[in-house]
């Protein structure tokens, strides 16, 4: 918890009118050692605030974040289960040929993005404690039903329904995290939440390898993948009705003192949004902010890299001559590298002293992995390229979505729009991903890797553009403060 204990110091720095560069440094570099040195010069109430914040965040971590990570692991496993099913006989049994599998993968994205953008507005009025568990039960049922389809047409229908039932979960979790955590602790928590994606891949590889050894007279191996994963999701989702909370002001596991503490703190930093009214005027203002849209391309690139590892690493490895069971087991390696990278995403930001530079470094690593995959068919080198792609992609996933939401948390409208669009754009990468790794392009998949090279390059460029834009906006906020003496306490974090 000590990695983010200097957020109170940021607020103090803002209040005395320090320079923009100082504010940015405090918002990014938050090691416990630095905080200990700073506390020595602060009054006792600063220590008490830091201790209260640490206890509060740990309480929220235990009750909400850990459950969100577990449910997201199941979410990612259910979504990527079709890639697992493919290598254990799905295409053969359903008579899928040519690009039929790519069509099935694309239809999931069609269902997902059809309702995704509106999901956060529904969640704001319905409440996370009711909507998110219901979505989990729905997509668990649909996932299990994929195990009883007999034709590719039925599979297509199930993929659309799976996308529609899953939409709203990730964006909803990101929104309630922005309600509960202060700005300086949000990026780290979002990174931990996205840690569930590579963990799901690490677990699904050995899981699928074990399922491939099952021999049942009537239930095929790929059917076991869908049915068992769907049942697990349903069970865990039911628990969400008792675990998830809408926002701190209505939270059952927080004391009245803790509720007062966090609402006062978030009101001072300008990010109190849980109980605020969501107006159409503020929503349209947030939607018209070009900077939010530019930042989304970085998230798009990160999701493209992660999706390449999640959905197509087993296929790429299988085309190199390995058996289905070996392909599933070996596909866990790039995801394991990604899990390690996303776990240290916050430290990468601190080392780089900025989100934009850390994002460039992560996407640059994924870019190098894509170049290697496009350049050679050497098996060990290609495995190394997949590991670089997973490391860079998942590291970027732990940095860029959280940066987008943290930087755009000035009002509930900004948080709602930023979290919704972040997931919407990330999910839209599935349209590209599903149509660039074609069976006819095996085993090199030069088209897929070349497209990824271009997308990673654009993602790096958007990080640079965002850095320049935020610097200019912060200078304007400083100028307004020097002219009229007012200070809203908000600065863009880059």
């Amino acid at each position: 918890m000590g990695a983010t204990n200097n957020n109170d110091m940021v607020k103090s720095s803002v209040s005395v009118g320090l320079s923009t560069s100082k504010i940015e440094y405090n918002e990014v570099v938050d090691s416990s050692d630095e905080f200990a040195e700073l506390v020595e010069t602060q009054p006792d109430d600063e220590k008490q605030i830091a201790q209260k914040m640490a206890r509060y965040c740990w309480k929220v971590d235990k009750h909400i974040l850990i459950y969100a990570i577990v449910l997201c692991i199941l979410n990612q496993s259910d979504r990527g289960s079709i890639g697992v099913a493919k290598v254990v006989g799905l295409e053969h049994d359903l008579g899928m040929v040519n690009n039929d599998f790519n069509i099935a993968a694309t239809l999931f994205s069609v269902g997902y993005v059809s309702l995704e953008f509106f999901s956060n507005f529904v969640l704001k009025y319905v409440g996370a404690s009711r909507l998110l568990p219901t979505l989990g039960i729905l997509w668990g049922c649909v996932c299990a039903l994929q195990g009883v389809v007999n034709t590719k047409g039925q599979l297509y229908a199930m993929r659309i329904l799976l996308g529609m039932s899953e939409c709203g979960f990730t964006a909803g979790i990101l929104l309630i995290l922005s309600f509960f955590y202060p700005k300086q602790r949000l990026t780290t928590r979002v990174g931990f939440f996205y840690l569930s994606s590579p963990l799901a891949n690490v677990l699904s590889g050995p899981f699928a390898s074990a399922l491939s050894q099952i021999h049942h007279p009537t239930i095929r191996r790929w059917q076991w993948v869908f049915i068992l994963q769907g049942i697990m999701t349903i069970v865990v989702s039911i628990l969400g009705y008792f675990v998830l909370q809408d926002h701190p002001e209505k939270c059952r596991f927080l004391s009245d003192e803790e509720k007062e503490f966090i609402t006062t703190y978030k009101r001072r930093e300008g990010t109190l949004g849980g109980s605020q009214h969501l107006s159409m005027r503020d929503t349209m203002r947030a939607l018209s902010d070009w900077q939010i849209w530019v930042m989304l391309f970085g998230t798009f690139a990160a999701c493209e890299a992660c999706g390449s590892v999640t959905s197509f690493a087993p296929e790429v490895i299988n085309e190199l001559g390995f058996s289905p069971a070996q392909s599933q087991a070996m596909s866990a390696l790039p995801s394991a590298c990604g899990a390690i990278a996303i776990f240290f995403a916050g430290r990468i930001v601190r080392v780089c002293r900025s989100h934009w530079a850390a994002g460039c470094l992560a996407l640059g690593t994924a870019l190098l992995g894509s170049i290697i995959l496009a350049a050679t068919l050497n098996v060990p080198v290609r495995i190394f390229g997949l590991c670089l792609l997973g490391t860079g992609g998942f590291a970027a996933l732990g940095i860029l979505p959280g940066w987008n939401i943290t930087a755009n948390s000035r009002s509930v409208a900004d948080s709602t729009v930023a979290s919704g669009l972040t997931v919407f754009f990330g999910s839209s990468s599935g349209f590209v991903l599903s149509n660039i790794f074609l069976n006819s392009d095996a085993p090199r998949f030069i088209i897929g890797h070349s497209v990824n090279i271009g997308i990673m390059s654009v993602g790096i460029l958007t990080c640079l553009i965002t850095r320049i834009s935020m610097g200019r906006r912060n200078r304007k906020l400083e100028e307004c403060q020097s002219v009229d003496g007012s200070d809203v306490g908000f600065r863009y974090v880059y």
Side-chain angles (χ1 to χ4, degrees), residues 102-124:
N102 299 82
I103 294 174
T106 303
L107 289 175
F108 169 85
S109 299
V110 172
Y112 197 97
V113 303
S114 63
L115 301 175
E116 172 59 41
F117 178 71
F118 305 99
S119 61
N120 268 4
F121 299 96
V122 176
L123 181 141
K124 184 65 177 66

Side-chain angles (χ1 to χ4, degrees), residues 338-411:
I340 295 172
I342 203 171
F343 183 80
F344 290 103
R347 186 172 296 275
I348 296 172
V349 174
R350 291 195 293 272
V351 170
C352 295
R353 295 192 173 187
S354 61
H355 292 83
W356 73 271
C360 289
L361 176 62
L363 292 177
T365 303
L367 174 62
L368 178 60
S370 296
I371 293 174
I372 292 174
L373 288 167
T376 181
L377 284 176
N378 182 276
V379 174
V381 176
R382 295 205 99 191
I383 298 297
F384 176 69
L386 278 173
C387 290
L388 286 180
L389 183 63
T391 299
F394 283 110
L397 193 64
I399 297 168
L400 298 179
W403 178 31
N404 195 356
I405 298 169
T406 301
N408 298 289
S409 57
R410 191 169 187 172
S411 71

Side-chain angles (χ1 to χ4, degrees), residues 7 49-57 182 185 261-262 265:
N7 45 9
I49 291 174
Q51 292 172 354
K52 286 183 177 180
M53 181 59 71
R55 289 194 297 268
Y56 164 79
C57 288
R185 311 212 175 194
F261 168 73
I262 192 60
Y265 189 94

Side-chain angles (χ1 to χ4, degrees), residues 86 91 96-102 312 315 319 436-443 445:
K86 178 181 180 179
E91 286 184 305
M96 302 175 73
V97 296
N98 299 325
N99 297 322
D100 288 344
F101 176 82
N102 299 82
F312 292 96
E315 180 179 359
E319 290 294 340
I436 58 176
F437 290 96
L438 306 176
N439 291 341
S440 59
D441 201 29
F445 298 103

Side-chain angles (χ1 to χ4, degrees), residues 248-251 254-263:
E249 297 92 318
K250 295 174 59 178
C251 185
L254 293 177
S255 65
D256 292 338
E257 180 183 358
E258 290 168 328
K259 293 177 183 178
E260 178 66 24
F261 168 73
I262 192 60
T263 52

Side-chain angles (χ1 to χ4, degrees), residues 14-15 17 410 476-491:
V14 173
S15 65
R410 191 169 187 172
K476 289 182 179 179
L477 290 173
E478 292 289 340
E479 292 172 359
C480 293
Q481 177 182 346
S482 62
V483 170
D484 56 19
S486 63
D487 185 12
V488 296
F490 177 83
R491 295 296 184 272

Side-chain angles (χ1 to χ4, degrees), residues 20 37-38 65 75-76 174 196 252 295 306 319 329 338 396 425:
T20 303
E37 295 175 2
L38 289 169
L65 183 61
N75 175 267
Q76 296 295 322
L174 295 180
S196 56
R252 292 192 299 269
M295 295 182 73
C306 296
E319 290 294 340
F425 259 64

